[in-house]
């Protein structure tokens, strides 16, 4: 082999050693798993299983599954869900003969409990755990270890500066160690240099973000499995006990049992609502509030409180929200002999924002007609809290407050169908077996009543009196375990994401060696995990601190003979930064593209 070939081979080996040296300096700046070049898995079950596990636990697949979960949740907000409103689902099925059965087969009416949504959810859970566990152990190992030693050629790093000083190398290293520790760098002396590292919270934030996602997933699953939710309409003066039979409607998670209900009860003393009287928002609710007395347990002490919108009553894991407000006309029904057969407040359901309300009054027992025959009575009821007045348009409310209340009734008699065993809507009349009361003109008997007025039933069959109005409030009682964990996970995820975005992981080396002329040569260089313009600025600031205590030596003729630790000449005899050759960027870090160097401190 010729001398030329020998020198070329030696130069190539030297360059390879330097590249390996730089790769070691930039190693473990991140705990992200290194992906090998794509290779076909070996044949066999174990090989395929290993390949599938590596794909599933990669961060790329975790992000893809998170995106798929977000997309999968969209139908749950656009399509009626059976767990929320069976009536809307039935209405959708009736109106869409083609789409309805397709949606039902795809599970789009119960998205969050469907097989395909659960599959994405579970795969995401497994993927996140598979990503986090090995990275956590690797990060713990980094925390227990020390920053790697300085590369032989610091001037190949993206941020670099050098100067010469009269101070001893040991003294310079002590100064550098003190300055770096003051800046909260983890630092130690290794060989002829000080190695330091900072920004560990970046990876800690990244891990905290993904762990918080797992906490949120677990909390969401826990809440769905053990949740309960029910609604109850209560007229002023009535009460409620937290038992299943007391609810108007009730639904719960698959693992919820009635024994999980918190034992409490309350009475509605008064329900109030106020509204905007003037301006463009006239009629808009300003406040809803319910004054109640409640007790916890069978022998609990009675307490008073006020439930407002977004200010629920909290008892154990249960929250009682006030979600709606309306009116219940108080009606007295008498038979032909003047006997009271019904007297109660009948809640009516609002139809619009001005609380135009409708419903049904049903007299089930105790009524006899003029001939003494047992019958049932039914009245279609239409109520407006503020009537515009006779001859001033339709029976629609002009304002939601009780400014001019009017109750309109139409009367029927016969069989209400409640004894058939088939459930029916309490706010509607089943007219299948009912007959109309006729007025003098042979038309359906109906009348508008003011408070205190009475409608006579034709044929001496009795009367109906509008006695007054009581307000009602609708309450939603929810029990959602895991909501506190979900909130904690969300806050931790935001904090972790902020840390991973704004904190930079970086390393700094300070080498101090005696040159051939006896003057100490100081070199400082920095390397970051990702490209950042702040790294050269930070290195310049650190160099200024060290330079203050180890200033530049006076110029000498021997400066030309000064060399750095690797035997090459320093790039500057004053504390100026040097710009490395872009072709010699370190391959061990993505910061290699950043060639900005600090100015003289």
């Amino acid at each position: 082999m010729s001398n030329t070939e020998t020198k070329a081979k030696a130069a190539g080996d030297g360059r390879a050693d330097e590249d390996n040296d730089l790769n070691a300096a930039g190693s473990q700046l991140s705990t992200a798993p290194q992906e090998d070049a794509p290779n076909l898995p070996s044949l066999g079950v174990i090989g395929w299983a290993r390949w599938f596990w590596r794909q599933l636990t990669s961060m790329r697949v975790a992000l893809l599954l998170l995106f798929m979960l977000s997309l999968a949740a969209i139908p749950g907000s656009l399509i009626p869900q059976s767990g929320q409103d069976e009536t809307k689902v039935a209405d959708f099925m009736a109106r869409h003969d083609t789409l309805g059965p397709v949606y039902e087969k795809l599970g789009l009416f119960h998205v969050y409990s469907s097989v395909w949504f659960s599959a994405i959810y579970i795969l995401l859970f497994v993927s996140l755990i598979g990503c986090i566990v090995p990275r956590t152990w690797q990060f713990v190992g980094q925390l227990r270890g020390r920053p790697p030693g300085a590369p032989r050629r610091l001037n190949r790093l993206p941020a670099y500066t050098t100067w010469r000083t009269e101070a001893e190398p040991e003294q310079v290293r002590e100064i550098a160690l003190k300055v770096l520790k003051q800046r909260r760098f983890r630092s130690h002396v290794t060989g002829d240099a000080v190695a330091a590292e900072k920004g560990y919270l970046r990876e800690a934030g990244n891990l905290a973000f993904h762990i918080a996602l797992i906490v949120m997933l677990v909390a969401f699953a826990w809440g769905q499995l053990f949740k309960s939710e029910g609604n109850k309409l209560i007229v002023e003066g009535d009460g409620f006990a937290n038992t299943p039979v007391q609810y108007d409607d009730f639904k719960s998670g698959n693992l919820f049992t009635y024994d999980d209900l918190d034992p409490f009860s309350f009475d509605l003393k008064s329900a109030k609502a106020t509204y905007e009287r003037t301006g463009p928002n006239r009629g808009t609710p300003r406040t809803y509030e319910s004054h109640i007395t409640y007790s916890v347990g069978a022998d609990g002490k009675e307490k008073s409180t006020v439930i407002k919108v977004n200010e629920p009553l909290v008892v154990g894991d249960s929250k009682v929200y006030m979600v709606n407000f309306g009116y219940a006309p108080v009606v007295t029904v008498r038979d032909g002999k003047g006997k009271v057969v019904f007297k109660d407040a009948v809640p009516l359901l609002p139809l619009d924002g001005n609380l135009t309300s409708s419903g049904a009054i049903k007299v089930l027992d105790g009524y006899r007609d003029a001939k003494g025959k047992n019958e049932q009575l039914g009245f279609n009821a239409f109520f407006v809290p503020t009537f515009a007045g006779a001859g001033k348009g339709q029976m629609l409310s002009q304002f939601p407050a009780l400014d001019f209340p009017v109750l309109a009734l139409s009367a029927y008699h016969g069989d209400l169908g409640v004894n058939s065993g088939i459930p029916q809507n309490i706010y509607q009349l089943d007219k299948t077996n009912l007959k109309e009361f006729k007025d003098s003109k042979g038309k359906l008997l109906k009348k508008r009543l003011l408070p205190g007025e009475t409608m006579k039933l034709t044929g001496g069959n009795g009367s109906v009196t509008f006695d007054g109005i009581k307000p009602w409030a609708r309450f939603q009682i929810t029990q959602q375990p895991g909501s506190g964990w979900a909130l904690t996970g969300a806050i931790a995820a935001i904090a972790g994401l902020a840390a991973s975005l704004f904190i930079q992981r970086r390393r700094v080396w300070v080498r101090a060696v005696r040159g051939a002329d006896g003057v100490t040569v100081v070199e400082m260089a920095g390397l970051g995990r990702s490209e950042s313009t702040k790294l050269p600025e930070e290195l310049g600031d650190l160099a200024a601190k060290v330079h203050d205590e180890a200033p530049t030596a006076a110029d000498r003729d021997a400066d030309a003979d000064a060399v750095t630790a690797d035997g090459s000449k320093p790039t500057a005899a004053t504390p100026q930064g040097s710009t490395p050759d872009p072709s010699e960027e370190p391959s061990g870090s993505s910061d290699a593209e950043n060639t900005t160097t600090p100015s003289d401190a």
Side-chain angles (χ1 to χ4, degrees):
M1 182 181 296
S2 63
N3 291 336
T4 302
E5 292 175 344
T6 302
K7 292 180 180 180
K9 184 176 183 300
D13 293 341
R15 182 61 180 269
D17 291 341
E18 291 177 1
D19 290 340
N20 293 334
D21 193 31
L22 288 174
N23 288 338
S27 66
Q28 296 186 345
L29 272 174
S30 170
T31 57
Q34 297 181 356
E35 297 188 6
D36 299 329
N39 294 313
L40 290 175
S42 60
L43 296 177
V45 176
I46 297 178
W48 280 106
R50 184 182 294 111
W51 176 84
F52 177 78
W53 176 254
R54 288 178 178 176
Q55 298 304 311
L56 179 61
T57 56
S58 66
M59 191 58 67
R60 178 178 61 253
V61 172
L63 293 174
L64 179 62
L65 288 171
L66 187 61
F67 178 69
M68 291 176 61
L69 191 70
S70 302
L71 292 180
I74 294 176
S77 60
L78 300 179
I79 300 173
Q81 299 295 293
S82 57
Q84 297 176 354
D85 196 330
E86 291 279 3
T87 304
K88 288 185 178 180
V89 174
D91 180 64
F92 187 94
M93 293 285 290
R95 291 186 292 105
H96 300 84
D97 296 334
T98 303
L99 281 180
V102 174
Y103 283 4
E104 187 173 21
K105 290 182 179 179
L106 294 176
L108 296 181
F109 293 125
H110 50 91
V111 169
Y112 304 113
S113 60
S114 62
V115 175
W116 51 271
F117 187 88
S118 300
I120 299 174
Y121 187 91
I122 293 172
L123 285 175
L124 175 60
F125 188 79
V126 174
S127 179
L128 285 174
I129 293 178
C131 289
I132 291 172
V133 171
R135 293 186 67 166
T136 301
W137 285 115
Q138 186 176 350
F139 181 60
V140 170
Q142 292 182 22
L143 291 177
R144 296 177 62 184
R146 289 185 170 188
R152 283 177 293 179
R153 292 187 60 186
L154 290 178
N155 61 351
R156 293 190 62 192
L157 297 182
Y160 173 80
T161 188
T162 183
W163 72 93
R164 290 153 46 85
T165 180
E166 297 288 352
E168 296 295 326
E170 293 80 5
Q171 183 182 358
V172 174
R173 289 194 285 269
E174 290 178 2
I175 293 170
L177 190 64
K178 181 182 70 173
V179 170
L180 290 168
K181 287 185 175 181
Q182 287 176 349
R183 293 298 185 91
R184 297 189 299 276
F185 277 82
R186 292 181 61 201
S187 53
H188 69 107
V189 178
T190 170
D192 57 5
V194 176
E197 188 169 5
K198 191 177 182 180
Y200 284 91
L201 285 180
R202 177 189 179 94
E203 190 60 34
N206 190 20
L207 292 173
F209 171 75
H210 291 90
I211 292 173
L213 286 182
I214 293 180
V215 172
M216 292 172 63
L217 289 174
V218 173
F220 177 76
W222 184 268
Q224 290 298 309
L225 291 173
F226 291 93
K227 74 173 184 178
S228 69
E229 181 180 302
N231 293 282
K232 179 64 177 180
L233 187 150
I234 303 176
V235 178
E236 185 178 89
D238 292 341
F240 168 80
N242 193 27
T243 59
V245 295
Q246 289 275 302
Y247 285 93
D248 295 334
D249 60 84
F250 183 84
K251 55 181 179 289
S252 62
N254 294 334
L255 300 182
F256 181 86
T257 64
Y258 292 145
D259 293 335
D260 296 327
L261 288 172
D262 292 310
F264 68 91
S265 61
F266 65 89
D267 294 323
L268 178 61
K269 296 302 181 181
S270 66
K272 299 178 181 179
T274 59
Y275 306 91
E276 291 286 348
R277 284 284 179 178
T278 58
N281 295 323
R282 183 177 184 273
T284 301
R286 296 182 61 188
T287 61
Y288 281 161
E289 59 182 38
S290 297
H291 295 258
I292 69 167
T293 58
Y294 72 98
S295 60
V296 180
D299 303 320
K301 184 179 178 181
E302 193 173 80
K303 303 177 183 178
S304 299
T305 189
V306 179
I307 300 176
K308 300 180 181 180
V309 177
N310 296 327
E311 295 182 16
L313 167 68
V314 180
V315 180
D317 292 332
S318 300
K319 293 183 179 180
V320 182
Y321 294 90
M322 181 181 178
V323 295
N324 207 347
F325 177 86
Y327 298 109
V330 180
V331 175
T332 300
V333 181
R334 295 177 172 86
D335 62 12
K337 296 182 179 180
K339 177 184 176 182
V340 176
V341 295
F342 179 89
K343 184 173 184 177
D344 203 357
V346 183
L348 304 181
L349 296 182
L351 301 177
D352 57 28
N354 286 327
L355 297 187
T356 302
S357 307
S358 70
I361 302 172
K362 300 179 182 182
V363 181
L364 305 179
D365 301 308
Y367 173 78
R368 292 178 181 270
D369 63 10
K371 298 178 181 180
K373 180 182 177 182
N374 285 326
E375 278 193 318
Q376 294 175 333
L377 298 180
F379 302 89
N380 272 333
F382 205 79
F383 176 78
V384 291
T386 302
F387 183 46
K392 296 182 180 180
Q394 298 178 343
M395 183 75 171
L396 294 175
S397 178
Q398 306 300 307
F399 193 75
L402 293 173
D403 293 345
F404 188 5
V406 174
L407 175 65
L409 297 175
S410 56
Y412 300 84
H413 64 98
D415 183 7
L416 293 173
V418 294
N419 298 323
S420 63
I422 301 175
Q424 61 176 241
N425 193 328
I426 63 173
Y427 301 103
Q428 295 179 349
L429 285 180
D430 181 0
K431 302 176 184 177
T432 305
N433 299 314
L434 292 178
K435 297 179 182 179
E436 298 176 349
F437 280 103
K438 302 291 185 179
D439 60 12
S440 59
K441 297 180 181 180
K443 296 183 179 180
L444 173 66
L445 177 64
K446 53 186 178 181
K447 187 177 180 179
R448 293 175 180 172
L449 302 175
L450 295 175
E453 293 185 342
T454 299
M455 179 178 75
K456 296 287 186 178
L457 300 178
T458 57
N461 287 299
S463 63
V464 183
T465 302
F466 178 24
D467 295 324
I469 306 103
K470 284 187 176 182
W472 59 257
R474 184 184 295 276
F475 296 93
Q476 184 180 74
I477 299 93
T478 64
Q479 195 167 332
Q480 188 84 29
S483 57
W485 283 103
L487 177 61
T488 302
I491 295 174
I494 294 174
L497 183 61
S500 65
L501 291 177
F502 298 111
I503 297 177
Q504 297 296 323
R505 184 93 174 266
R506 64 270 194 200
R507 288 172 179 165
V508 172
W509 292 275
V510 182
R511 174 176 283 131
V513 295
R514 193 177 301 279
D517 58 352
V519 178
T520 300
V521 178
V522 182
E523 291 181 287
M524 293 186 66
L527 180 64
R529 177 177 178 270
S530 58
E531 183 175 343
S532 172
T533 56
K534 294 184 178 180
L535 179 62
E537 180 182 345
E538 184 176 32
L539 183 68
D541 188 34
L542 291 171
K545 296 290 185 181
V546 177
H547 182 267
D548 288 342
E549 299 191 39
T552 304
D555 290 338
R556 298 185 183 182
D557 295 337
D559 285 348
D561 299 326
V563 294
T564 61
D566 62 344
S568 61
K569 293 183 179 181
T571 57
T574 59
Q576 289 182 330
S578 64
T579 302
D581 184 355
S583 64
E584 295 185 344
E585 294 168 351
S587 58
S589 169
S590 58
D591 272 348
E593 297 177 3
N594 184 1
T595 58
T596 307
T597 57
S599 60
D600 184 5

